[in-house]
Amino acid sequence: FPGEIESMVNFLWVAVHNKKFGVEINQAFEESFNGYGLNHSIEEAAISWMIAENFRLGNEMSRQTGEYRQEFSYQPRGHAKYADVVRLFDWDAFEQFNRNTSESYENGEINYDDDVNNVPTDDRLLRMSQAFGYDLRPLIHFWGVHPDNATSLETEIKNSDLKKSTAIYDQLSFYKTIVPANNEAF
């Protein structure tokens, strides 16, 4: 998604350590930021995002500097959505998504040459959902990525016959239970 190139570099750590070395995915996620002193679990990344002003206002995660600092790059919450998706489903579907995207690019079916930071959000959401066989919008939305054209994407999701996921529902319900209610709880 736009703005997350640096966070994807950290997610490669998760993939290698989980798949190659058998490190449990949440531990691999925590270690993916070892050099930065941000050893967050996926749940701690979720809390970090849920207490951010942009989350509370219903905004996307900031990808720009300015009033709100860049919330994607160099932060665990920037790649936590991918760890969450893999944890709920599996690596095979994630790899299939990446393979499909690369093949589509190589075949000239998609063109991201103009600006790799400007990959169409709805295209990526649809391709990810198709690879996993589920509508991933609720989970990806939780992690601060909103559709560009919600109506059009809704139509594409329906045309792809993608199912709603009880695993996603359960994960989002769980996140509601761990957000601190106040400063004392935090």
Side-chain angles (χ1 to χ4, degrees), residues 14 22 60 72 75 84-85 87 92 108 140 142 158:
V14 178
E60 290 187 301
F72 263 109
Q75 297 183 49
D84 233 359
V85 168
R87 179 171 64 170
D92 292 339
I140 302 303
F142 167 82
K158 285 183 180 177

Side-chain angles (χ1 to χ4, degrees), residues 13-66:
W13 174 285
V14 178
V16 170
H17 282 251
N18 179 248
K19 289 189 61 155
K20 176 69 176 164
F21 299 111
V23 176
E24 188 272 326
I25 193 162
N26 210 12
Q27 181 183 345
F29 180 81
E30 285 180 39
E31 294 170 354
S32 69
F33 262 83
N34 261 349
Y36 298 98
L38 294 172
N39 298 37
H40 285 22
S41 67
I42 300 168
E43 289 75 18
E44 289 167 332
I47 291 169
S48 171
W49 172 229
M50 290 185 291
I51 64 172
E53 189 170 1
N54 272 335
F55 181 88
R56 293 190 320 270
L57 294 174
N59 297 333
E60 290 187 301
M61 242 185 232
S62 173
R63 298 173 178 106
Q64 307 294 324
T65 56

Side-chain angles (χ1 to χ4, degrees), residues 63-101:
R63 298 173 178 106
Q64 307 294 324
T65 56
E67 183 179 346
Y68 298 104
R69 66 184 184 149
Q70 219 292 10
E71 294 171 318
F72 263 109
S73 294
Y74 305 108
Q75 297 183 49
R77 60 187 170 198
H79 63 287
K81 68 184 142 304
Y82 296 111
D84 233 359
V85 168
V86 168
R87 179 171 64 170
L88 293 176
F89 301 105
D90 61 42
W91 282 108
D92 292 339
F94 188 77
E95 291 167 2
Q96 179 58 39
F97 158 70
N98 285 301
R99 190 171 21 264
N100 172 276
T101 301

